[in-house]
Amino acid sequence: MDFFSRFAVPHPSPAIYASMVAIGLTVIAIIAGLTYFKKWGYLWREWLTTVDHKRIGIMYLISALLMLFRGGADAIMMRAQLAVPENTLLDAQHYNEVFSTHGVVMIIFMAMPFIMALMNFVVPLQIGARDVAFPRLNALSFWLFFAGAMLLNISFVIGGSPDAGWTSYFPLAGNEFSESVGTNYYMFALQISGLGTLMTGINMITTILKMRAPGMTLMKMPMFTWSSLVANIIIVFAFPVLTVALLMGTMDRLFATNFFTTSNGGMDMLWANLFWVWGHPEVYILILPAFGIYSEIISTFAKRNLYGYKSMVGSMVIISLLSFLVWTHHFFTMGQGALTNSIFSITTMAIAVPTGVKIFNWLFTLWKGKITITTPMLYSILFLPTFTIGGVTGVMLAMSAADYQYHNTMFLVAHFHMVIIPGVVFAMLAGLTFYWPKMFGFMLNERIGKIAAWVISISTLVAFMPMFFSGLDGQARRMYTYSESTGFGIWNMISFIGAFGMAIGFALIVYNIYYSTRYASRNIGSDPWDARSLEWATHNPVPEYNFAIIPQVNSSEGLWDAKKKGHVLFKGEYEKIHMPNNSGVPFIMGAIFFAWGFSFVFGLWIPAILTTIGIFVCMGLRSIEKDHGRYISVEEIEETETKMRGAK
């Protein structure tokens, strides 16, 4: 029994036991459904072994939506706990676990896969490619991300959740203060998913630099592709820092090294520095592709080319450079001195300048445009003022002297959410709605979509604006309760109402997906938005090979040139097309990595050794495998194109 006792949850509650039952019933229902409808073969052939960038993008999307509701449940629990003074819905330990998991899930396992979903699906189509540069590596990237996500998500029912915050600062995250395996879960879940993200970065950079359509120079790439390129360059430079930091933290916890201890030569602030050297660029890994999505949507529905293309590209490059020069603003109050604080205060304020350039470029694109208010455009317009509030408060926080008042209060929490929710979440919802017809062959209902956009936008303000006031009044973040005499009650109740409103908004999106799946027309053509770039020049649904003939372009708006200027996109005859074969190895490696991480979390050394061997065996087999792909014949292409009413 001693062996099994290590897997027990150290702080059980009725909610956790209910979750165990719910997870068990869900797994049984999925297995029963797949067996009853005889879908195991379909699932293996079409999804688990796919290397198609479009299907991988959709799997990222499904994962992101699931994690959105997982992290959202944590958010509702936190706001409910703080809604009234001296509440007992959650005790201190559970509150610590909930806010720690909320941060990790929303940043790493919701926002990142949402970005990756759109990158995977859209970028190869935008540049006129037939897939990414390394299709099998792309599949492995997804399954490593998924293994990390599942590893973190089983923690609250097996062994206990992380409880040292999403930043997991040492010495709090050390064995002395975090005795459960929750922080081990944190270390290995982020390590495994981070490896997948790093692989994606290398893959996307190679794809964009080497696989663009004829005529598409770097300065003729669509803005979303540019933003994806810059974000992936940041990934390649930032994620190795996280990898090293997590390895050092793991060594401290499992093998009693002293990298981040407060004694024996350790340096706890080293973790804070390494974490934020990765952590602040991570914000721009999320937000730059979001800016690219807004650029695509605003130019499409303003019926104008994007104002200031070169300045938009230049501002993204400047943002990417400055993103590595601002990390210390996360701990102005931690004693590094006035000179250091002053330098990082200046760089932090400086990064607002290229961001402001982008805001004005979008406004000038809208100016004198023939604007159509669709759901994606509504999210984009609502983003501008809401994000500006978050940005301005960021400049306030950049003043190191004033930060002594703001830091570690709800003011900081409000700033972060007022940047990330309009900057990233609105963009993801806009992109989801915009590219939904290209992914699934039908459009989401506009009326329901617009109602959801307004509900989410208004609720965001209701949820987070009060936190600015309670923060300035002294309410510390991570505080699980407070007395009535503090006066924080009214602000927290308003925030809870806002959070509940956001939940209603996201429920409307789920209902919209259900409603549209049942009732939306499937006869929408290949370009339902009257868009401008190449992804809309292929069919709905997109064929396996994307383009029967590789397009040739003259500008960043290849389809618009074809529609309005008579440019011929598709020249020449059909030729056989080389495509990669599906492979089950990435899925199997993902499963082995999951078992590898689980073994290390609990110190199960024999399974850890066996799974390590399994990982290297899979890599070795790939090294000697002779897989040259396959060809789609001209006859198959002609049959597909005829079925889809010819190339357009």
Side-chain angles (χ1 to χ4, degrees):
M1 291 302 293
D2 287 341
F3 176 80
F4 292 103
S5 65
R6 73 177 73 184
F7 302 112
V9 178
H11 306 284
S13 71
I16 290 176
Y17 290 133
S19 298
M20 291 178 180
V21 173
I23 291 170
L25 292 176
T26 302
V27 170
I28 292 170
I30 291 171
I31 293 172
L34 290 170
T35 304
Y36 179 79
F37 293 106
K38 299 179 180 178
K39 291 294 183 180
W40 285 106
Y42 166 80
L43 183 66
W44 176 258
R45 290 189 308 273
E46 301 297 327
W47 294 97
L48 300 184
T49 62
T50 187
V51 296
D52 185 344
H53 72 96
K54 299 179 291 295
R55 288 182 180 265
I56 291 171
I58 290 170
M59 290 194 292
Y60 270 119
L61 176 63
I62 294 169
S63 303
L65 290 172
L66 290 174
M67 291 299 102
L68 174 64
F69 289 99
R70 164 72 170 86
D74 289 335
I76 291 294
M77 284 192 286
M78 284 190 289
R79 296 321 313 162
Q81 166 64 21
L82 293 176
V84 294
E86 300 176 8
N87 199 354
T88 57
L89 177 67
L90 300 173
D91 62 27
Q93 176 61 31
H94 284 133
Y95 188 81
N96 288 348
E97 293 177 5
V98 167
F99 79 69
S100 300
T101 308
H102 169 75
V104 177
V105 166
M106 286 302 207
I107 296 293
I108 304 297
F109 300 121
M110 186 282 289
M112 284 296 287
F114 231 134
I115 293 289
M116 296 300 173
L118 293 174
M119 278 187 192
N120 266 278
F121 194 95
V122 176
V123 166
L125 295 173
Q126 277 201 335
I127 64 174
R130 292 203 164 108
D131 209 314
V132 294
F134 309 114
R136 191 181 289 197
L137 189 69
N138 198 27
L140 178 60
S141 297
F142 169 76
W143 289 114
L144 288 181
F145 150 76
F146 192 75
M150 292 301 101
L151 191 62
L152 186 83
N153 276 278
I154 66 166
S155 64
F156 76 106
V157 293
I158 303 176
S161 292
D163 59 1
W166 89 273
T167 55
S168 203
Y169 281 160
F170 284 81
L172 180 61
N175 288 328
E176 182 182 357
F177 298 107
S178 295
E179 297 178 359
S180 78
V181 296
T183 302
N184 293 354
Y185 272 116
Y186 174 98
M187 296 289 172
F188 281 96
L190 266 65
Q191 190 72 278
I192 293 168
S193 64
L195 288 173
T197 302
L198 183 58
M199 292 176 188
T200 297
I202 296 167
N203 206 345
M204 284 291 168
I205 292 170
T206 309
T207 301
I208 293 168
L209 292 182
K210 304 299 290 185
M211 298 181 69
R212 300 190 305 278
M216 185 179 287
T217 61
L218 284 175
M219 294 307 290
K220 291 180 181 177
M221 294 195 308
M223 195 52 61
F224 179 65
T225 299
W226 252 115
S227 66
S228 298
L229 174 62
V230 175
N232 281 288
I233 291 172
I234 298 174
I235 284 173
V236 168
F237 282 96
F239 265 80
V241 180
L242 178 67
T243 300
V244 170
L246 291 169
L247 178 61
M248 294 164 73
T250 301
M251 296 287 285
D252 272 14
R253 286 188 58 83
L254 294 184
F255 304 112
T257 56
N258 290 283
F259 292 112
F260 305 128
T261 59
T262 53
S263 59
N264 298 323
M267 186 187 297
D268 54 334
M269 281 301 296
L270 178 60
W271 170 269
N273 278 275
L274 290 174
F275 182 89
W276 287 114
V277 166
W278 162 80
H280 202 85
E282 165 67 11
V283 173
Y284 293 98
I285 291 167
L286 298 176
I287 217 158
L288 287 178
F291 286 170
I293 290 165
Y294 287 132
S295 297
E296 301 293 338
I297 290 170
I298 288 172
S299 63
T300 295
F301 297 112
K303 294 290 185 287
R304 288 191 60 188
N305 61 306
L306 189 66
Y307 180 89
Y309 178 95
K310 291 181 180 178
S311 63
M312 288 290 256
V313 173
S315 64
M316 283 193 294
V317 173
I318 292 169
I319 286 170
S320 70
L321 295 173
L322 288 175
S323 72
F324 286 94
L325 302 175
V326 298
W327 80 89
T328 299
H329 71 217
H330 291 277
F331 40 88
F332 277 146
T333 62
M334 288 181 171
Q336 60 263 25
L339 177 61
T340 301
N341 279 1
S342 299
I343 292 169
F344 282 91
S345 184
I346 291 167
T347 57
T348 303
M349 292 183 194
I351 208 167
V353 176
T355 308
V357 168
K358 303 178 85 63
I359 297 285
F360 281 106
N361 281 352
W362 289 317
L363 292 173
F364 285 134
T365 304
L366 291 168
W367 188 50
K368 292 188 177 180
K370 298 177 181 177
I371 299 171
T372 305
I373 303 296
T374 60
T375 302
M377 187 63 158
L378 182 58
Y379 277 116
S380 303
I381 293 172
L382 291 170
F383 144 78
L384 291 168
T386 316
F387 178 80
T388 301
I389 295 170
V392 168
T393 54
V395 177
M396 293 173 65
L397 285 156
M399 294 183 284
S400 56
D403 189 63
Y404 277 78
Q405 173 68 27
Y406 308 137
H407 190 68
N408 235 26
T409 70
M410 298 304 285
F411 187 95
L412 178 59
V413 175
H415 154 72
F416 183 76
H417 286 83
M418 289 291 286
V419 168
I420 293 297
I421 292 176
V424 178
V425 178
F426 283 18
M428 296 303 98
L429 297 176
L432 173 70
T433 311
F434 188 58
Y435 287 111
W436 187 274
K438 186 57 66 176
M439 290 179 177
F440 300 106
F442 62 92
M443 298 178 72
L444 294 175
N445 183 274
E446 277 288 285
R447 184 167 178 268
I448 302 172
K450 288 177 182 177
I451 293 171
W454 277 112
V455 170
I456 291 171
S457 181
I458 293 169
S459 298
T460 298
L461 293 171
V462 175
F464 295 104
M465 289 302 288
M467 294 185 195
F468 287 118
F469 299 106
S470 66
L472 287 175
D473 206 23
Q475 184 182 2
R477 61 175 172 168
R478 308 190 181 113
M479 191 167 66
Y480 88 102
T481 191
Y482 54 92
S483 67
E484 189 173 356
S485 62
T486 60
F488 301 150
I490 182 64
W491 301 119
N492 285 289
M493 177 54 75
I494 295 171
S495 288
F496 172 68
I497 293 168
F500 189 74
M502 292 179 72
I504 293 172
F506 288 113
L508 282 171
I509 292 173
V510 174
Y511 174 71
N512 195 1
I513 293 171
Y514 162 77
Y515 179 89
S516 302
T517 301
R518 288 198 64 180
Y519 302 113
S521 170
R522 266 56 176 176
N523 186 23
I524 59 171
S526 60
D527 181 24
W529 301 115
D530 192 22
R532 308 173 80 85
S533 46
L534 284 182
E535 68 270 31
W536 302 100
T538 187
H539 306 295
N540 274 353
V542 183
E544 178 190 9
Y545 48 76
N546 293 351
F547 300 95
I549 300 170
I550 295 295
Q552 299 183 33
V553 301
N554 287 333
S555 75
S556 62
E557 300 180 324
L559 179 58
W560 195 255
D561 290 343
K563 291 190 290 189
K564 303 300 181 182
K565 300 178 183 178
H567 173 70
V568 179
L569 275 177
F570 303 105
K571 301 175 183 177
E573 302 294 326
Y574 295 145
E575 297 178 4
K576 65 180 181 179
I577 297 172
H578 180 264
M579 296 298 293
N581 288 321
N582 283 1
S583 173
V585 175
F587 173 76
I588 293 168
M589 282 191 73
I592 295 173
F593 262 101
F594 176 88
W596 176 83
F598 187 85
S599 300
F600 271 102
V601 165
F602 288 96
L604 305 173
W605 301 118
I606 293 176
I609 293 168
L610 293 176
T611 50
T612 303
I613 293 170
I615 290 166
F616 281 99
V617 167
C618 288
M619 294 167 65
L621 290 174
R622 175 57 178 153
S623 299
I624 61 175
E625 181 183 5
K626 295 186 184 298
D627 181 0
H628 301 296
R630 59 193 171 82
Y631 284 94
I632 300 175
S633 67
V634 172
E635 291 75 20
E636 289 178 85
I637 297 167
E638 289 175 342
E639 182 181 343
T640 302
E641 293 297 307
T642 301
K643 183 179 178 181
M644 294 182 170
R645 297 185 295 278
K648 295 181 181 179

